[in-house]
Structures are given as C-alpha cells and as structure tokens.
Amino acid sequence: MGTKMSAREIAAATPGARDRVIDLLRVASLGTVVLGHWLMAAVTVGADGRPAVGNLLAVEPKLQLLTWFLQVMPVFFFVGGFSHALSYRSLTRRTGAPAYALFLRARLQRLLRPTMLFVAVWGAGALAVQLLGGNGALTDVAARLVAQPLWFIGIYLAMVAFTPPLLRLHERYGWGAFAALAAAAAAVDVLRFAAGVPYVEFLNFAFVWLAVHQLGFLRADGRLRRPAVLAAAGLAGAVALVAFGPYPLSMVGMPGEKISNMAPPTAALLCHGMWLIGAVELLRGPMARAVARPRVWRTVVAANGVAMTAFLWHLTAMLGVYGAMLAAHVSLPAPASTAWWLQVPLRIAAAAAVTALLVAVFRRAEQPPAPAPAGTAAARRGSAPAAALGVTLALFGVLGLSMVGFAGLLEGHSAVLVAVRVTAPVTVLMCAAGWLLVETAGRTARPV
C-alpha cells in the first residue's frame, strides 16, 4: 500500500503536459460559490425573537447584477467535461475497451465518499437533536439549508453517467453536439413560456447543464479556438433574453420568485455560462503564467485536495458562526445596512476559520483511494448495467436529499422528486445503495 503524498510532493511530481489552468478553475469556481453563499446569507431576528435566514440579493435587488460574475457553476461543470473526457479516454486506452463501470467508480469515489460522510454526520446530528427536543428556529433552518447545495452533486453525477455516450456524439459531430443540446434547451423554454406546456421545463436540468459540460469536451480537444466569439454571443444572448423575455436578472435562485434562471435552468443561464466560459478562456494565458509559479501551484494542489469537503461543510460553518453570534447576544444589523457591511469581513473570516477546522476533521474522506484493477472486456461489460443503476440511484438520492433536507426526520417530512414523494431516510438509502452498486460494479473486473 502506497503512502499518501503531500501537496508539495504532488506539485513537484506534476507532469509538464498537465493543463494546470483547469485545476485552478476548479478551485476558483468552488471558492467563488462558497464566498457567494457566505455573502448572500442574511440572518435576522424577528419581533418574536425567532431568527430567519434571508437573501441579501432580495433585500438589495440592484446587487443581482453581481450574479453575472459570481454564478460560476457553469465554469465548474465545464471543467468537469474537460476532466471526464480525458479520464474516460485514458481508461479506455489502458483497458483496451470501453470501461464504463471502472470510469464511474474512479470518478465517483472522491465525490461520494465525502458526501456520504457529510450525510451520515448531519443525519445523525439532526436525529439526535430532535430526539432530545432541542429543535429551534435556527436549528430547523440549518437542517434544511445545509442540504440544498447537494443539488450540485446530483447534477455532477448525471454528467459523469452521461459522459460516454455524449463523448461519442462529440467525437462524431463536434460543435454540432453542443448546438443540438443548446437548441433543445431553447425549445424547452419556448414550450414552457409560449405554449404553457406543463413540466417540460424540468428537461432543462439535463439540456442546459449537459450543453455546458459539452463545452468541456471541446476544450479537451483544443476546439475552443475563438473564446471571444463564445463570450460575445453568450453575453449578447443573456442580455437580450433578460431585457426582452420573461427571464429575471439574477442568475441564482431568489426566494419567492415565480421564474428562476436556476431551478430549473433556462436558456438565459446557458447564455450566461457561454459568456463566462469564453471569458475565462480569454484569460488562459495569465492564469497559465500564474500556476507555473511553484508556490501558486502548491496552493492550487492543496486546495484541490480538500475542495469538495470545504464545499460540503461551508454552510454548516456559516450557520455555526451565526448561531454563536446569537448565543453571545451579538447584534445582527439590518441586511445591507452600513453596520451589516462593516460586519461582513469578520463573519466571512470566522466562517473560513470554522470551515478550515471542519476540513481538518473530515478531509480523510476525500483522499484518493487505490485504483481498481483493470479487467477483461467481458467482465467490464457485465458490470456496466449495475454501475448505471448505481449512479442513477445515487443521483436521485442526492437530488431528493437536497430538497427534503435533514429537518423533520421524526415527523416524516417529505418532498416531491419527479412526481414521487420521498423522505430523508429514503433518499439516504438510495444514495448508499447506489454508491455500493457503483463500488461493487467497478471491482468485478478480473485482473488481465
């Protein structure tokens, strides 16, 4: 069994051909999401003394324009497309045949291990609090909110699952595959807003995000040669859709809004993703020069090793800071007031410190596991259906948990997921069963 390498050793051993900009974008995009969540959260105390969590962008609508820069999830999914293409092709070359089960296991281990640990800790903690009768307003809000970012894990699982067939479409049609997904996303919005077709909008969870993912395939093959055109087309499209269509200004979900660009995604969000990806591609040169510096690259390597753990626990840290402030009777100013803005740096610094502590405790779950042995083509083909079933169960389990949260476990609190009502225990069982299937399927191959 090999020993774990330090970030300094990994950085020193990095091959010269590695595209370090992709690693920087992965860290920067997740870091921006974390910072955005810390900034937007606005906890207030009502006249009845009960705390409530609001959204800064709802208090100050003019700040919603900032989401055109801070909504960077498209960049993360774009980076995922790049990485998935290289990973699947590498496995296929090494095994001599399509390696779906091995690919799923390799990509999902570092994603699902820290996620399942997060679910186990929060589930046990929420259940203990409810059994002991410690429910409070902030406790209930926290138990719901901390699970919401899991939607991102669910979408990412879908991208991993669809990588092989969509990669084949990319290899055959190139930009045509992206154009087909983008056209499908636009058609869904036409059916939704012009024809009033019910439920059709949920198809854009696939079309919009998979189109962004497809841009990562194009980047992997060096086919994003005109990022300025992509950025200009995306920005023009987003501006036109928001200015003349039914789309809101904010590129993140807002409480109480009838139409969201995020849930489900819209053509406006796809255009936003295009302009943002084009913009970061235009900055590839300066970013490459930055990560060529040893100290910067070591920082990126170290951050990549704990990025998922930090993402999973950052809301826990933020709500913990607010809870400590309430317990210490620290005044919470009105959101967007001068006093509130003066308090922001201190709250963010405290949330960062608590997140670092949680990362130190839970980071082991994100350590890369030993690779599974390659196997015969027959064994891989036989395990692919089980792997596909596993990732499907995990996908719906994670999405369901992001909706239902950890509150009301004893009361059987539920949510509707694709016309099916689910509870937190059911979604956790789906996640666990799916993870087990993927793990087992990836190990069924016999050594060559």
Side-chain angles (χ1 to χ4, degrees):
M1 182 179 296
T3 58
K4 183 179 183 295
M5 296 176 66
S6 68
R8 181 181 293 272
E9 292 169 330
I10 295 173
T14 302
R18 184 179 182 89
D19 192 332
R20 301 184 181 194
V21 170
I22 290 295
D23 297 279
L24 175 61
L25 288 176
R26 182 184 294 111
V27 169
S29 56
L30 279 182
T32 302
V33 170
V34 168
L35 183 62
H37 285 169
W38 285 343
L39 181 62
M40 288 190 298
V43 175
T44 56
V45 179
D48 58 358
R50 294 174 62 85
V53 180
N55 191 314
L56 174 66
L57 301 181
V59 178
E60 284 289 334
K62 292 180 292 186
L63 294 177
Q64 291 178 19
L65 186 60
L66 291 177
T67 64
W68 287 50
F69 304 94
L70 296 178
Q71 170 49 292
V72 293
M73 272 305 182
V75 175
F76 188 88
F77 292 146
F78 162 72
V79 167
F82 177 94
S83 301
H84 296 160
L86 297 188
S87 176
Y88 185 72
R89 286 168 172 170
S90 175
L91 269 175
T92 300
R93 284 193 301 268
R94 288 196 285 117
T95 58
Y100 188 63
L102 294 176
F103 169 73
L104 286 185
R105 181 174 184 262
R107 302 307 296 178
L108 266 54
Q109 277 186 321
R110 290 191 65 179
L111 190 67
L112 285 181
R113 290 173 75 205
T115 300
M116 292 306 296
L117 177 60
F118 170 82
V119 169
V121 172
W122 252 104
L127 183 60
V129 168
Q130 292 172 46
L131 286 172
L132 295 173
N135 292 33
L138 189 59
T139 304
D140 289 343
V141 169
R144 292 194 305 271
L145 282 183
V146 294
Q148 287 182 1
L150 293 178
W151 73 266
F152 147 78
I153 305 288
I155 298 297
Y156 201 79
L157 288 173
M159 291 178 173
V160 174
F162 282 107
T163 287
L166 289 180
L167 188 57
R168 287 193 292 271
L169 288 177
H170 158 73
E171 290 167 348
R172 183 170 181 178
Y173 298 108
W175 277 97
F178 166 77
L181 288 167
V188 165
D189 276 9
V190 170
L191 292 174
R192 174 187 180 184
F193 295 120
V197 177
Y199 306 114
V200 70
E201 64 266 26
F202 295 104
L203 290 174
N204 267 351
F205 277 110
F207 293 142
V208 169
W209 291 127
L210 290 178
V212 170
H213 191 244
Q214 208 78 8
L215 289 173
F217 294 167
L218 291 160
R219 169 71 156 78
D221 287 349
R223 300 186 64 176
L224 281 184
R225 301 187 186 97
R226 297 180 179 178
V229 174
L230 182 68
L235 185 59
V239 170
L241 289 173
V242 170
F244 304 110
Y247 304 94
L249 174 64
S250 175
M251 291 297 165
V252 301
M254 298 297 299
E257 63 184 357
K258 293 183 178 179
I259 297 174
S260 167
N261 280 320
M262 272 289 293
T266 64
L269 184 64
L270 175 56
C271 289
H272 166 73
M274 290 167 57
W275 101 258
L276 206 59
I277 290 166
V280 298
E281 280 295 287
L282 286 171
L283 297 173
R284 191 197 303 187
M287 289 189 291
R289 289 191 289 273
V291 290
R293 300 172 183 171
R295 182 175 297 179
V296 175
W297 178 236
R298 285 196 300 270
T299 302
V300 171
V301 169
N304 257 315
V306 298
M308 189 54 57
T309 302
F311 174 79
L312 287 166
W313 291 97
H314 77 281
L315 284 184
T316 302
M318 180 200 71
L319 292 168
V321 168
Y322 271 115
M325 292 173 67
L326 290 172
H329 303 289
V330 175
S331 174
L332 296 180
S337 65
T338 300
W340 189 90
W341 283 109
L342 290 173
Q343 207 179 65
V344 164
L346 297 176
R347 286 199 307 269
I348 289 181
V354 176
T355 300
L357 178 61
L358 291 169
V359 166
V361 173
F362 297 115
R363 64 179 297 174
R364 288 181 63 86
E366 202 170 345
Q367 293 179 4
T376 66
R380 284 190 298 273
R381 284 196 297 269
S383 59
L389 175 61
V391 73
T392 301
L393 284 173
L395 187 162
F396 283 108
V398 169
L399 287 178
L401 189 56
S402 74
M403 298 172 64
V404 73
F406 298 102
L409 293 177
L410 297 179
E411 293 81 9
H413 178 65
S414 63
V416 177
L417 174 67
V418 193
V420 177
R421 189 163 291 278
V422 295
T423 62
V426 169
T427 60
V428 171
L429 286 175
M430 291 172 68
C431 292
W435 183 29
L436 179 62
L437 275 172
V438 171
E439 282 283 315
T440 304
R443 289 174 177 168
T444 57
R446 296 183 298 275
V448 175

